Amino acid sequence: MTPFCGLTLEELKNWMGSQGEKPFRAVQAFDWVYKKGIRSFDEMSNMSKELKDLLSQAFIFPSIEKIRELHSEDGETIKFLWELSDHKRVESVLILSRDRRTVCISCQVGCPARCAFCASGKEGLLRNLSVGEIVEQVLHIDRYLAAKGERVCHLVFMGMGEPMENYDAVVKAIQIFNAPEAFHISQRRITVSTVGVVEGIRKLADEELKVNLVLSLHAPNQHIRKKIIPYARRYELQEILDAMEEYSCKTHRDITYEYTLIAGINDGIEHAKELAALLQGKQCTVNLIPYNPIPNLNLSRPSKERIETFRAILEEANITTTWRYTKGKDIAAACGQLALQKTEEAVAIFSQDVVGSSK
Ligand code: SAH
């Protein structure tokens, strides 16, 4: 059965038509689910008993269940751990800043990219999430916020999974996030992060959507990139950068490059200089992320001083940088870590974030 939240309004209108119902019933149903926050079809009080029965026979709602909610000590992040109908687990993070309510969503269980520093890919890809499973992560968090008179306003596909490898579901979920009858979140407030799948970047550039696109770059050259990102073997770095430029030209969106700094691997002065040369003249921002330690990985994060030196070299070359320093105790904060832990072992040891930006 399809999750209800996997349907666009158009699809639900068609389904209503196939049941001999008027299309406006679809708008009403969307209103109940996305605006009024009902928890079952039974609560749709302006629908007939027959229609409610038909809906519950045709669609699953809800299709994911919250099994854990972890609050950081500083109150700035809340992690949600979800269980799917096949008992697999994924997570989302709600990031609370002064004027923003951002949700970081997962699009796959596990990840095919298997980056050396990331917990999500440790077990490879287990399966794609359905559109409904992607949409519901935001729906449940939106309800959580609605109880406090707030709404989700920004979305980032930076949780578990590689969005370009679950392309159709991600694009359809974005359409639902964007739809005025559902979440009405503007495309400029939606960000997709990719490990660099060239066909996907090109395809996204030709969609009607104009979402922000982020490339997980993590290295100043193909040689180092291949060492930490197995997917890098599929595409030449220059080909990926060209596809990103093309995306930016077609959509008029600025490009952001993510760069996870790992001690002794990609954090040296020579790497910063090489990165500055690689990105010279490009209209872009580099988001520096200190590696967030993951148990059993023999990697470490650079010191703050080393990050500052790295950053200063980019700044001198007129490259805009942002950075976020999460302290080492914040063990469950990196992508995918929580879903890999057994529930009873999951610990909420978050600590203060220090956020900096050169903007
Ligand atoms: N597959 C997509 C999106 C998921 S990862 C992509 O590769 O972009 C989103 C971001 O999480 C990546 O850019 C990566 O830098 C970051 N990340 C994952 N594990 C991390 C870790 N242990 N420390 C710091 N950043 C990490």
Side-chain angles (χ1 to χ4, degrees), residues 13 18 32 75 128 166 173 189 219 238 253-254 261 286 290 326:
K13 281 182 179 170
S18 73
W32 281 112
N128 278 337
N166 190 12
R189 294 178 168 196
Q238 199 51 53
R253 293 279 181 265
D254 289 348
L261 287 153
V286 176
T326 46

Side-chain angles (χ1 to χ4, degrees), residues 4 16 25 28-30 32-33 38 40-48 51-52 55 61:
F4 177 88
M16 288 289 180
R25 291 286 179 203
Q28 285 182 332
F30 257 49
W32 281 112
V33 170
I38 53 151
S40 88
F41 296 124
D42 278 347
E43 294 175 56
M44 297 180 168
S45 57
N46 56 359
M47 307 251 183
S48 68
L51 182 52
K52 286 189 278 195
L55 280 165
F61 179 71

Side-chain angles (χ1 to χ4, degrees), residues 104-105 107-108 111-113 115-120 157-164 192-196 214-218 225 229 257-262 287 289-294 297 299 301 326 333-337:
C104 174
I105 24 183
C107 63
Q108 294 181 314
C111 184
C115 299
F117 51 84
C118 180
S120 294
F157 281 86
M158 290 187 185
M160 297 176 87
E162 168 50 43
M164 297 303 181
V192 172
S193 178
T194 178
V195 72
V214 170
L215 175 72
S216 287
L217 181 59
H218 307 316
R225 202 162 185 268
I229 306 177
Y257 296 107
E258 300 231 80
Y259 197 101
T260 296
L261 287 153
I262 311 166
N287 185 18
I289 318 163
Y291 164 68
N292 210 335
I294 291 173
L297 288 188
L299 300 171
R301 65 167 53 190
T326 46
C335 174
Q337 271 176 290

Side-chain angles (χ1 to χ4, degrees), residues 94 96 101 141-152:
L94 169 62
L96 306 157
R101 300 290 174 263
I141 296 176
D142 201 44
R143 283 177 182 176
Y144 169 91
L145 287 173
K148 299 191 271 178
E150 297 174 347
R151 299 300 302 261
V152 173

Side-chain angles (χ1 to χ4, degrees), residues 151-213:
R151 299 300 302 261
V152 173
C153 60
H154 287 77
L155 294 177
V156 292
F157 281 86
M158 290 187 185
M160 297 176 87
E162 168 50 43
M164 297 303 181
E165 297 293 13
N166 190 12
Y167 185 92
D168 292 343
V170 165
V171 166
K172 201 164 156 193
I174 293 171
Q175 286 162 351
I176 297 170
F177 293 136
N178 194 219
E181 299 81 3
F183 296 92
H184 207 188
I185 298 175
S186 139
Q187 290 164 1
R188 357 184 116 249
R189 294 178 168 196
I190 300 175
T191 299
V192 172
S193 178
T194 178
V195 72
V197 180
V198 170
E199 301 86 348
I201 299 170
R202 297 227 164 95
K203 210 165 152 195
L204 195 64
D206 291 329
E207 300 280 351
E208 290 285 285
L209 307 166
K210 285 188 166 55
V211 294
N212 304 305
L213 188 60

Side-chain angles (χ1 to χ4, degrees), residues 218-341:
H218 307 316
N221 60 49
Q222 176 75 345
H223 177 69
I224 298 178
R225 202 162 185 268
K226 275 205 270 195
K227 280 193 186 165
I228 51 180
I229 306 177
Y231 247 55
R233 293 185 203 124
R234 295 193 182 190
Y235 312 93
E236 278 305 315
L237 180 53
Q238 199 51 53
E239 201 190 345
I240 303 175
L241 295 179
D242 289 348
M244 291 298 289
E245 287 284 314
E246 205 180 299
Y247 185 87
S248 172
C249 283
K250 285 191 178 162
T251 61
H252 306 291
R253 293 279 181 265
D254 289 348
I255 301 175
T256 300
Y257 296 107
E258 300 231 80
Y259 197 101
T260 296
L261 287 153
I262 311 166
I265 292 187
N266 63 0
D267 67 332
I269 290 174
E270 70 281 15
H271 302 132
K273 286 184 177 160
E274 200 178 350
L275 184 63
L278 185 73
L279 303 180
Q280 201 59 67
K282 291 194 198 301
Q283 182 71 28
C284 67
T285 299
V286 176
N287 185 18
L288 298 171
I289 318 163
Y291 164 68
N292 210 335
I294 291 173
N296 306 323
L297 288 188
N298 203 11
L299 300 171
S300 54
R301 65 167 53 190
S303 66
K304 240 173 172 176
E305 294 67 34
R306 215 165 151 86
I307 298 168
E308 282 299 356
T309 307
F310 195 97
R311 179 185 180 176
I313 292 167
L314 295 180
E315 292 284 321
E316 267 165 41
N318 286 321
I319 294 170
T320 310
T321 60
T322 55
W323 78 290
R324 186 178 172 89
Y325 193 91
T326 46
K327 287 182 187 158
K329 263 169 68 190
D330 200 353
I331 59 160
C335 174
Q337 271 176 290
L338 197 57
L340 280 181
Q341 290 173 344

